[in-house]
Amino acid sequence: MVQFDKNALPVAIIGGGPVGLAAAAHLLKKGEKFIVLEAGDSVGSSMLEWGHVRMFSPWQYNIDKAAKELLENAGWTSPDENALPTGHELVVEYLLPLSNLPEIKEQIILQAKVVGVAKKAHDKLKTGKRDTVPFQLYVEVNGDTQVIEAKAVIDSSGTWTNPNPILSNGIWTNAERKLHNQIHYGIPNFEQLENRYQNKSIMVIGSGHSAINALLDLATLQQKFTDTEIYWVLRKKIHEVYGGQENDGLAARGELGIRIQQLVESGRIHILTPFHIDGVYPTNSKITVVGELNGEEFTIGDIDEMVVSTGFRPDTSFLNEIRINLDSAVESIDALAPLIDPNIHSCGTVRPHGEQELRHPEKNFYIVGMKSYGRAPTFLLATGYEQVRSVVAYLTGDVEGAKEVRLQLPETGVCSVNLASNSCDSDLPANETKDGSCCGSPVLARLEMKNNSCCE
């Protein structure tokens, strides 16, 4: 193993998920010093929150090549490359063994929340010798704030902890926040939460695979507890969510479309579409939802629980003193936005990209992984792995290697450019776009009724 330069500042990696740990693996192979700052109790902590979800993409597309080489050198055996892992399996069988490699483990700090990133002695306005001074990361660890200096920063903190709100215009309200005990954002594990949802009136919001799986699991719950009432709110036409079905390149994903069409045609759920929600309000321990249904004012009350599967958005609040360049709509780096804008592209038309597209005005600062896509819902784990390979190559002086985009993805079903209805894949839990076209994360698969998945 190449030895670190003990006198060099590290590259700071924010986030210990699959893309962050892939960055660590690539830096390790290059002999570069690094530190991984993970806000959770474990690497892959966000993935563990949807650990019951099975991915659409098989193992072969979910393991970074540099990480695989390090693991196999340590005696690790890769899972069946054609099998579809759950989020829990991805963490337990891949991320934990990777994080436990001695050269990586000693560089990881858990329960380390980054609350600020800056350049030493420089606020955002000051230029001076900005490119010659180190980054300073302010990190909350066990109630104390530590300052860590780094020569470069790779932000792979994801979007999972920053869900989109219920309202169709994307605005958070105090009324919605007050209802947090009756709202689940993301992908509920209904098998574990049976007592919470049985015989309740439940509204599911969203048109992606996470919403579809919530509905399918609720239908199973309804068979056991017959007073369970299910509402489905979506903005697109119902047939647009059925996808490619038998023609889908990913069979497990196509099965979702078949199952949800059967459920809709059974008449067991109430369909509200196109329904644009303007407000949600607490009413005598219930929830009242108001908005426009088919262009007419509409109110529905007596909702006990809501499942909001409308995606996530990036948190850049701790980057206020770093010079970043974000697109005004997509909220990705400006150069990447035209390549991933879901108003133009589905995941099948997003071309591979690397360090050059990911550069911010702040030298040696990069946002990678799901967060790099901003609000766009077309991200794939394999894309994130190629991002960090290219970024690390550039940071270590391999400029030509950074330019070589090596990403190879499988044909993924019915992805195509279609402004009216984009169908898509993705790799981590989910986003929904303004026009209802969606695709988000994880590239998940539903193999059995009890499993959830998503791809908004």
Side-chain angles (χ1 to χ4, degrees):
M1 185 65 63
V2 179
Q3 296 298 311
F4 290 128
D5 179 354
K6 295 181 180 179
N7 297 317
L9 287 175
V11 176
I13 302 168
I14 305 175
V19 177
L21 290 182
H26 283 274
L27 287 164
L28 179 60
K29 289 195 65 182
K30 294 283 189 177
E32 286 288 333
K33 190 174 181 180
F34 62 89
I35 186 169
V36 178
L37 303 168
E38 166 56 47
D41 298 331
S42 165
V43 296
S45 59
S46 290
M47 299 190 86
L48 290 174
E49 292 189 22
W50 51 268
H52 55 290
V53 177
R54 189 168 297 279
M55 303 178 72
F56 285 141
S57 53
W59 274 106
Q60 64 177 311
Y61 297 111
N62 294 320
I63 299 175
D64 174 74
K65 292 181 180 178
K68 183 178 182 180
E69 182 179 338
L70 291 171
L71 283 165
E72 289 181 340
N73 288 341
W76 177 79
T77 301
S78 177
D80 179 359
E81 66 175 16
N82 296 314
L84 302 170
T86 63
H88 182 267
E89 289 168 347
L90 195 69
V91 173
V92 172
E93 297 180 34
Y94 169 51
L95 295 187
L96 283 176
L98 180 60
S99 69
N100 283 325
L101 294 176
E103 303 93 335
I104 292 180
K105 184 176 183 178
E106 61 189 17
Q107 308 302 329
I108 298 175
I109 303 178
L110 300 176
Q111 297 180 323
K113 182 179 180 181
V114 178
V115 296
V117 182
K119 295 305 291 284
K120 188 172 184 178
H122 288 65
D123 62 18
K124 181 185 287 187
L125 183 61
K126 185 177 180 180
T127 300
K129 298 181 179 180
R130 190 176 191 89
D131 288 348
T132 66
V133 300
F135 290 91
Q136 290 183 315
L137 291 86
Y138 284 71
V139 188
E140 292 182 352
V141 183
N142 297 323
D144 295 325
T145 301
Q146 300 180 12
V147 180
I148 296 173
E149 293 191 355
K151 68 177 182 180
V153 175
I154 299 175
D155 181 358
S156 61
S157 57
T159 60
W160 178 256
T161 58
N162 203 35
N164 286 326
I166 291 173
L167 271 59
S168 297
N169 60 14
I171 297 295
W172 279 98
T173 63
N174 286 332
E176 180 174 346
R177 291 188 179 96
K178 290 178 181 177
L179 290 165
H180 68 276
N181 288 329
Q182 294 167 269
I183 301 174
H184 185 106
Y185 299 92
I187 314 165
N189 187 334
F190 290 102
E191 189 172 331
Q192 291 185 358
L193 298 172
E194 184 178 271
N195 291 336
R196 173 173 173 174
Y197 291 102
Q198 66 186 41
N199 295 322
K200 298 288 184 65
S201 176
I202 305 152
M203 178 176 285
V204 178
I205 303 171
S207 56
H209 292 91
S210 52
I212 290 173
N213 278 278
L215 292 161
L216 292 170
D217 286 344
L218 281 171
T220 300
L221 187 74
Q222 187 186 58
Q223 290 178 326
K224 185 176 181 181
F225 302 98
T226 56
D227 288 336
T228 303
E229 195 166 12
I230 307 169
Y231 293 86
W232 186 13
V233 170
L234 61 164
R235 304 171 201 166
K236 61 172 63 175
K237 296 177 181 178
I238 189 67
H239 70 271
E240 294 176 3
V241 306
Y242 297 153
Q245 300 194 354
E246 295 89 347
N247 296 321
D248 197 306
L250 294 172
R253 186 183 58 190
E255 181 72 12
L256 282 177
I258 296 172
R259 288 177 179 270
I260 193 61
Q261 182 173 1
Q262 292 172 343
L263 178 59
V264 169
E265 292 175 352
S266 75
R268 293 168 54 198
I269 61 177
H270 307 285
I271 308 295
L272 300 173
T273 184
F275 187 15
H276 293 82
I277 297 175
D278 295 329
V280 290
Y281 306 97
T283 308
N284 298 324
S285 76
K286 303 278 188 176
I287 303 172
T288 298
V289 183
V290 299
E292 290 188 357
L293 179 62
N294 284 314
E296 300 291 334
E297 292 185 6
F298 182 81
T299 299
I300 181 170
D302 294 329
I303 301 297
D304 295 302
E305 295 277 351
M306 301 185 79
V307 175
V308 182
S309 301
T310 56
F312 302 82
R313 58 181 64 175
D315 176 12
T316 58
S317 60
F318 61 92
L319 303 176
N320 287 339
E321 295 305 319
I322 292 296
R323 295 178 177 180
I324 58 177
N325 185 12
L326 299 181
D327 180 76
S328 60
V330 180
E331 295 185 18
S332 71
I333 187 169
D334 192 61
L336 186 57
L339 307 179
I340 61 175
D341 185 345
N343 294 292
I344 303 170
H345 295 281
S346 73
C347 51
T349 64
V350 176
R351 69 172 177 81
H353 57 275
E355 182 276 336
Q356 187 171 352
E357 292 85 359
L358 297 170
R359 287 182 198 170
H360 284 275
E362 200 75 77
K363 184 179 179 181
N364 294 339
F365 175 83
Y366 298 92
I367 298 175
V368 300
M370 187 70 193
K371 188 173 181 177
S372 72
Y373 271 43
R375 297 196 186 193
T378 46
F379 175 75
L380 296 164
L381 265 185
T383 300
Y385 295 155
E386 177 58 18
Q387 286 180 340
V388 295
R389 184 210 61 80
S390 177
V391 166
V392 170
Y394 185 82
L395 289 175
T396 56
D398 183 6
V399 176
E400 292 305 312
K403 292 179 181 178
E404 296 175 6
V405 179
R406 305 169 182 172
L407 183 63
Q408 293 182 338
L409 294 174
E411 293 297 325
T412 48
V414 291
C415 286
S416 62
V417 177
N418 184 335
L419 297 185
S421 173
N422 289 327
S423 61
C424 29
D425 313 305
S426 91
D427 248 345
L428 301 168
N431 290 346
E432 183 171 312
T433 63
K434 293 179 181 178
D435 66 352
S437 65
C438 57
C439 164
S441 172
V443 171
L444 304 173
R446 180 182 188 85
L447 298 182
E448 300 176 84
M449 187 74 79
K450 67 180 181 180
N451 292 325
N452 286 320
S453 75
C454 68
C455 167
E456 298 288 27

